[in-house]
Amino acid sequence: MSFTVDILTIFPEMFDAVLDASLTGKARKKGLIAVHAHNLRRWTEDRHQTTDDYPYGGGAGMVMKVEPFHRAVTDLKQADPRPCRVILMTPQGALFDHATAERLSKEERLVILCGRYEGYDERVRLLADEEISLGDYVLTGGELAAMVVVDAVTRLVPGVVGDEASTRHDSHAHGLLEHPHYTRPAEYEGMRVPDILLEGHHAKIEAWRRRESIIRTARRRPDLLAGADLTDNERVLAERIVRGEERT
Ligand code: SAM
């Protein structure tokens, strides 16, 4: 069975364009991944299909109710016996990063809960195996955050990105930012592609790319260097760049 993601949201229509486009759309058509955005209102029992209510204790905003989420997660778990990881999207969660995307891509099945308004009744949290935040800011709802997670995770599922080497070299895959890319023309308005990329010497190109990747990381994201897999010489180079001692 393919890698499956079930998303619980009150705005399932938000996902259509994103899930049908590009590599995600192709992977869904090929059956490599199955991604379903479910309307949480399906699991309500009242005439108005209520998914939120006033906060106990007063205060501004509405709170997502526990019952629809509880019924939905229970149903989805029963419908597919494979183990699944339930993820709650919240600005209070652990920051999403490449390592998390890799770990989640090795699961068989994810269920993602999207909040709205002031967030969830605290008891919704008990349904989740983990809580994920996209960053230290607040979105209107969990849908955009869930789309980012689905996109980043599913592109790591084998077969989704045609050339797996391209995900292996991506920024963050090894703690470094990726090297620069160029395509034709070789010269545009006086800006030339580095000669080394035009010479066709594979080993030299690899060495150049590795060095550029280290230089770029040292300049833009020196915080990543501590976790990067570098040789002693590469680390010396990176530290010289961070200190501004290396002119490149
Ligand atoms: N009052 C909540 C708080 O301070 O934690 C924020 C609620 S926010 C307006 C509504 C919903 O958007 C959240 O329940 C969550 O699902 C989603 N959301 C907002 N910011 C997010 C972020 N940085 N990462 C992931 N989800 C987020």
Side-chain angles (χ1 to χ4, degrees):
M1 265 178 128
S2 50
F3 181 86
T4 303
V5 187
D6 289 291
I7 301 153
L8 290 170
T9 167
I10 55 169
F11 294 112
E13 66 280 5
M14 282 181 70
F15 289 83
D16 295 345
V18 172
L19 296 179
D20 282 342
S22 187
L23 292 177
T24 320
K26 279 192 194 146
R28 288 176 86 200
K29 282 199 190 89
K30 280 195 209 157
L32 291 169
I33 57 171
V35 189
H36 311 285
H38 303 275
N39 194 334
L40 185 65
R41 296 193 194 282
R42 214 177 104 193
W43 287 277
T44 56
E45 290 182 342
D46 65 311
R47 201 158 56 90
H48 300 290
Q49 301 191 303
T50 311
T51 54
D52 59 286
D53 208 339
Y54 294 98
Y56 274 122
M62 302 298 276
V63 174
M64 301 287 290
K65 289 164 70 61
V66 63
E67 310 97 298
F69 278 117
H70 180 246
R71 290 187 203 116
V73 170
T74 308
D75 267 7
L76 290 171
K77 281 185 171 174
Q78 274 169 4
D80 182 341
R82 290 178 296 167
C84 80
R85 194 146 185 91
V86 180
I87 296 165
L88 183 103
M89 301 312 305
T90 165
Q92 302 181 16
L95 285 183
F96 187 58
D97 60 9
H98 184 81
T100 308
E102 276 209 328
R103 173 170 59 74
L104 296 178
S105 74
K106 296 190 172 78
E107 297 285 338
E108 289 182 65
R109 194 170 172 229
L110 305 177
V111 173
I112 304 183
L113 314 188
C114 301
R116 280 269 152 182
Y117 319 117
E118 276 308 309
Y120 316 86
D121 180 300
E122 196 62 17
R123 291 163 290 189
V124 176
R125 294 187 189 282
L126 303 176
L127 302 170
D129 297 303
E130 66 185 278
E131 301 187 10
I132 290 183
S133 167
L134 218 59
D136 291 340
Y137 43 81
V138 176
L139 300 164
T140 318
E143 288 75 12
L144 288 172
M147 287 181 214
V148 171
V149 169
V150 169
D151 190 282
V153 170
T154 54
R155 73 191 296 281
L156 297 173
V157 170
V160 171
V161 174
D163 179 2
E164 273 165 41
S166 87
T167 56
R168 266 206 307 281
H169 288 121
D170 273 341
S171 298
H172 305 292
H174 294 287
L176 292 173
L177 302 182
E178 198 181 29
H179 55 77
H181 293 284
Y182 294 90
T183 185
R184 288 184 288 184
E187 182 164 349
Y188 181 68
E189 302 213 338
M191 296 176 283
R192 275 191 57 74
V193 172
D195 286 338
I196 196 153
L197 297 178
L198 307 175
E199 287 163 7
H201 191 300
H202 190 66
K204 281 189 186 168
I205 291 172
E206 277 309 301
W208 179 85
R209 286 179 167 165
R210 174 81 185 166
R211 187 177 154 85
E212 289 298 315
S213 175
I214 294 164
I215 292 170
R216 185 161 275 215
T217 310
R219 288 215 176 111
R220 296 180 184 209
R221 291 292 305 275
D223 56 303
L224 295 178
L225 291 170
D229 191 9
L230 298 178
T231 65
D232 290 347
N233 282 347
E234 287 173 341
R235 199 158 285 287
V236 169
L237 168 68
E239 282 164 7
R240 285 179 61 82
I241 290 165
V242 172
R243 289 197 300 268
E245 292 168 9
E246 182 86 14
R247 293 272 158 260
T248 51

